[in-house]
Amino acid sequence: MFKRLTLAAAAWLCATAAIAADAWPTRPITLVVPGAAGGSTDIPARLLALKLGERLGQPVIVDNRPGAGGSIGASQVARAQPDGYTVLVGNTGSNAINYTAYKKLPYRPEDFVALTDMISFSNVLVVPQASPVRSLDDLLKAARQAPGKLSFSSAGVGQTTHLMGELLRERTGVDVVHVPYRGSAPATAAIVSGETQFMFDNLTASLVHIKAGKLHPIAVTGAQREPELPNVPTTTELGLQDFDKVGWMGFFLPAQTPPAVVRKLTDGLVAVLRDPEVARRYRELGGRPGGMPQAQFTQLVDNDRKSWGALITSRQLQLD
């Protein structure tokens, strides 16, 4: 009798969960952005949130949780109820780099299920418009003439904007100072104001300032030149090795989220990312619109975790 009751209870719970998944969403969804408001992750996330809310019939709220290389926001989602109502807008830092960069990280890869990418982008090496530096050679010469005097800003310790600067030190031997900020927006503001002397900024964050004449681009980090900056060479063209990396932002749910909810949210995200208006706006920001299949994005995240991890280990760039 007890066994029959237990099986009946289990079947009832499964049926209840299936009904709840089918009805999802019945209340607002929160997109946790592990960066500052106005930053490179925040801007495309807010563009998407409105469209996604319209498609799902529920408000989609952006919740900025900057700090600790994105780990504050990622930790919040890892601990959230796996019900589809708390979604992480993760990035290369929070969901690939951090696993090797931080020994005491409060979350692990298995705490998340990856859905799809939102946007990918190159980093661009920029200097303030008023700077006399106009090329990579100029920057290296200035750094060598004043060891320990030039500083570069980043969106936080362990972010690609930091690690690219560290790679510059490793590849060229220059003595420069890293100045981390709490997110992309304040880091970009620092380089615009001249508070720091250079930055490997996310193209999505710096392009508007480049077009406004506030920043001067020296190089881009991708394997090919960017359509928005056709006259700016790649770092590979300029002789720097292992700088052909791009960053990405994408969506993650807590592990154990019901598969039906995962599918429904992923389908909604992909549909919004294929919207011509969203794609156009992302390209205007200097990025490439996402929406790859879930299996492909999961593989991308895993590959980047391994490749960035190998780089961090080989260059001894552990951050705690």
Side-chain angles (χ1 to χ4, degrees):
M1 176 65 73
F2 178 75
K3 185 177 181 180
R4 288 198 299 270
L5 289 174
T6 301
L7 291 174
W12 179 82
L13 287 173
C14 289
T16 302
I19 292 171
D22 289 340
W24 182 94
T26 59
R27 55 187 172 86
I29 298 165
T30 298
L31 289 185
V32 176
V33 172
S40 59
T41 306
D42 180 74
I43 293 173
R46 289 182 184 274
L47 289 173
L48 177 135
L50 181 60
K51 292 281 188 178
L52 182 63
E54 292 172 353
R55 184 173 187 84
L56 296 178
Q58 290 290 340
V60 178
I61 302 163
V62 175
D63 181 14
N64 296 93
R65 298 286 176 169
S71 63
I72 292 176
S75 297
Q76 176 182 335
V77 176
R79 297 191 303 266
Q81 287 293 320
D83 53 15
Y85 291 100
T86 306
V87 186
L88 174 66
V89 187
N91 55 51
T92 315
S94 65
N95 290 83
I97 292 171
N98 284 3
Y99 296 119
T100 304
Y102 294 94
K103 295 179 181 178
K104 299 179 181 179
L105 198 68
Y107 59 90
R108 302 307 306 160
E110 55 269 22
D111 293 331
F112 301 99
V113 54
L115 305 184
T116 189
D117 60 325
M118 178 173 69
I119 190 172
S120 61
F121 52 88
S122 296
N123 285 329
V124 56
L125 177 56
V126 291
V127 296
Q129 187 62 41
S131 171
V133 171
R134 281 297 177 268
S135 67
L136 178 62
D137 285 342
D138 287 348
L139 179 62
L140 297 179
K141 182 179 179 180
R144 288 169 178 147
Q145 289 177 340
K149 299 297 183 182
L150 270 64
S151 62
F152 69 95
S153 50
S154 83
V157 174
Q159 297 291 305
T160 55
T161 50
H162 168 214
L163 295 182
M164 287 296 180
E166 294 291 345
L167 274 181
L168 184 71
R169 287 205 269 208
E170 293 288 332
R171 292 286 185 271
T172 64
V174 294
D175 180 8
V176 292
V177 178
H178 172 224
V179 183
Y181 290 82
R182 288 177 60 85
S184 176
T188 302
I191 189 69
V192 169
S193 68
E195 186 175 325
T196 54
Q197 284 71 59
F198 70 97
M199 180 182 179
F200 283 94
D201 199 8
N202 295 334
L203 185 56
T204 51
S206 61
L207 186 60
V208 63
H209 301 293
I210 293 171
K211 290 183 175 180
K214 297 179 180 180
L215 290 176
H216 176 72
I218 291 175
V220 294
T221 63
Q224 57 191 10
R225 295 194 182 195
E226 288 294 327
E228 294 288 341
L229 300 173
N231 297 321
V232 179
T234 68
T235 47
T236 301
E237 288 178 68
L238 298 176
L240 292 176
Q241 300 301 312
D242 296 331
F243 274 77
D244 58 343
K245 299 181 181 297
V246 299
W248 47 260
M249 302 165 194
F251 302 96
F252 299 81
L253 283 171
Q256 308 306 317
T257 300
V261 172
V262 171
R263 286 194 299 271
K264 193 170 184 179
L265 177 56
T266 303
D267 289 346
L269 289 166
V270 170
V272 169
L273 289 162
R274 289 176 179 169
D275 183 300
E277 180 184 353
V278 172
R280 176 182 61 81
R281 293 291 301 276
Y282 280 12
R283 292 190 183 98
E284 289 174 351
L285 289 171
R288 297 181 178 89
M292 66 176 59
Q294 185 184 8
Q296 183 181 350
F297 180 55
T298 300
Q299 189 63 59
L300 170 66
V301 173
D302 188 55
N303 289 344
D304 269 14
R305 177 176 59 84
K306 293 174 181 176
S307 64
W308 279 109
L311 181 63
I312 291 167
T313 300
S314 67
R315 300 300 172 186
Q316 299 182 340
L317 297 177
Q318 278 75 22
L319 305 174
D320 58 4

